[in-house]
């Protein structure tokens, strides 16, 4: 965007309705950490080529993340829809 740094935005009066998910059938816990300046998930050093969880088609899971460290850990899911 070029020009003035101020833009006007028109926000919608309501959001698109999202139907609630059924109760989860699987619960997973992920503990974040760091080891020698490397981030870890459940004690394993991060590796972008590895999948730490595989979810079945049409399965609802509840994921819990615990971060006892002083470092922020951005977490996001690729490809699949989530709520």
């Amino acid at each position: 965007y070029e020009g003035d740094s101020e833009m006007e935005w028109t926000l919608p009066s309501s959001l698109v309705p999202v139907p609630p998910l059924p109760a989860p059938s699987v619960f997973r816990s992920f503990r974040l950490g760091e080891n020698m300046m490397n981030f870890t998930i459940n004690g394993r050093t991060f590796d972008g080529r590895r999948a730490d969880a595989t979810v079945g088609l049409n399965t609802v899971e509840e994921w819990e993340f615990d971060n006892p460290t002083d470092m922020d850990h951005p977490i996001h899911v690729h490809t699949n829809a989530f709520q």
Side-chain angles (χ1 to χ4, degrees), residues 11-15:
L11 298 176
S13 59
S14 63
L15 300 176

Side-chain angles (χ1 to χ4, degrees), residues 13-82:
S13 59
S14 63
L15 300 176
V16 175
V18 177
L21 294 171
S25 59
V26 176
F27 296 87
R28 295 183 197 254
S29 294
F30 299 92
R31 186 171 178 89
L32 308 178
E34 54 185 318
N35 182 12
M36 303 293 290
M37 298 301 293
N38 291 310
F39 295 118
T40 61
I41 300 173
N42 292 341
R44 298 175 72 188
T45 302
F46 172 77
D47 182 346
R49 298 167 293 179
R50 182 185 73 236
D52 289 319
T54 302
V55 179
L57 183 63
N58 296 322
T59 302
V60 176
E61 295 191 1
E62 182 173 317
W63 290 12
E64 175 184 65
F65 292 89
D66 177 31
N67 180 9
T69 73
D70 292 331
M71 294 286 292
D72 293 336
H73 291 269
I75 300 292
H76 57 274
V77 177
H78 288 264
T79 308
N80 300 18
F82 61 94

